[in-house]
Amino acid sequence: FNLEKGKYVSFRFGAAGTRAVRIELVRVDGTVIATFYNEAPGKINTEMHAYFYQYTGETTACFFRVVDDATSDYGCIVVDDFRANLESAPEGFIEAIR
């Protein structure tokens, strides 16, 4: 998808209780724009939390990458409700780590 300057992306994400599980927002050239770690407050295995990121660069083609580098615990990732080019940050969502 094309992500426009100044717009937001959001989605819901839950995973096994490890930081090694994450979602990355990536340009088609492979450059990671933002990383969303499984670090929500009160983290419980596979509890869904909502994340967002505001993109400030020029319009670019990109995609989401689901990454599971965990070597222990059970393997579970749940993602849902991907949205792109929102006009404002969704309320109650967790901001990405840039």
Side-chain angles (χ1 to χ4, degrees), residues 12-66:
R12 298 183 188 282
F13 166 44
T18 175
R19 184 169 197 226
V21 178
R22 63 191 180 277
I23 307 295
E24 296 174 338
L25 176 61
V26 185
R27 285 190 183 92
V28 294
D29 69 3
T31 304
V32 176
I33 298 170
T35 303
F36 307 81
Y37 289 101
N38 182 34
E39 292 188 308
K43 178 174 57 179
I44 298 172
N45 293 343
T46 65
E47 180 180 342
M48 298 287 281
H49 294 278
Y51 295 82
F52 80 93
Y53 175 75
Q54 183 180 23
Y55 178 65
T56 58
E58 295 303 316
T59 297
T60 188
C62 56
F63 61 93
F64 287 101
R65 177 169 42 211
V66 178

